[in-house]
Amino acid sequence: MQFELATPTRLLVSSEVDEVVAPGTEGYFGVLPGHAAFLTTLTAGDLMYRRGREEQHLAVIGGFAEVNADHVIVLAEAAERPEEIDRERASRARQRAEQRLTGKSPHASAEDIDYTRAMAALARSLARLQVADRGSAHS
């Protein structure tokens, strides 16, 4: 089946694949050729696509996925390949988000913390770190 993944600034993938597993807002979902058609929203997470035995991983941050029997299209807010991820920066972002969520932000009082934004930042940083770790394990 054809798989395409694009962000507002670039096309990351346009390839024939055997399987796609993506982070939907209701949980991860897998797609094989012949899948029933659906449209869903995505959350931050590890998107995997496979051709034969070769798996590729991308950190995806939000967006939409359109699935039909022979095509998967992902329009992501942001996406990165493992080698594009700055692991140190993602780790610092995770630490900042965790500090905010525990009410220990050095720059804001507990009343000023936007917990929804902090949770989103934590999810983004964890997705990036997970994909970065997969990339380094395959190198």
Side-chain angles (χ1 to χ4, degrees):
M1 74 184 155
Q2 182 68 24
F3 172 56
E4 295 176 290
L5 187 144
T7 70
T9 59
R10 65 185 177 153
L11 176 66
L12 269 85
V13 180
S14 181
S15 179
E16 284 290 320
V17 301
D18 297 317
E19 178 183 18
V20 175
V21 178
T25 52
E26 300 295 320
Y28 276 83
F29 62 89
V31 179
L32 298 170
H35 199 288
F38 71 96
L39 180 66
T40 189
T41 53
L42 300 176
T43 189
D46 177 2
L47 183 143
M48 183 279 297
Y49 62 98
R50 179 183 60 79
R51 182 172 185 162
R53 292 179 175 229
E54 185 180 337
E55 290 184 2
Q56 300 292 323
H57 294 265
L58 300 167
V60 174
I61 311 299
F64 298 91
E66 180 183 4
V67 174
N68 63 42
D70 62 352
H71 208 116
V72 176
I73 300 171
V74 171
L75 303 174
E77 293 173 25
E80 294 175 282
R81 293 181 179 94
E83 63 272 14
E84 298 170 335
I85 296 170
D86 180 338
R87 196 175 192 306
E88 288 301 315
R89 183 173 170 238
S91 184
R92 288 191 308 271
R94 184 194 75 213
Q95 291 170 351
R96 283 191 309 272
E98 288 172 342
Q99 286 178 338
R100 287 185 191 111
L101 289 170
T102 60
K104 298 177 183 170
S105 175
H107 304 294
S109 67
E111 301 85 43
D112 295 333
I113 295 171
D114 183 337
Y115 287 94
T116 303
R117 282 186 58 201
M119 284 296 296
L122 180 61
R124 284 191 305 272
S125 64
L126 291 175
R128 295 178 76 230
L129 288 167
Q130 180 181 16
V131 170
D133 288 346
R134 285 187 184 277
S136 63
H138 289 49
S139 297

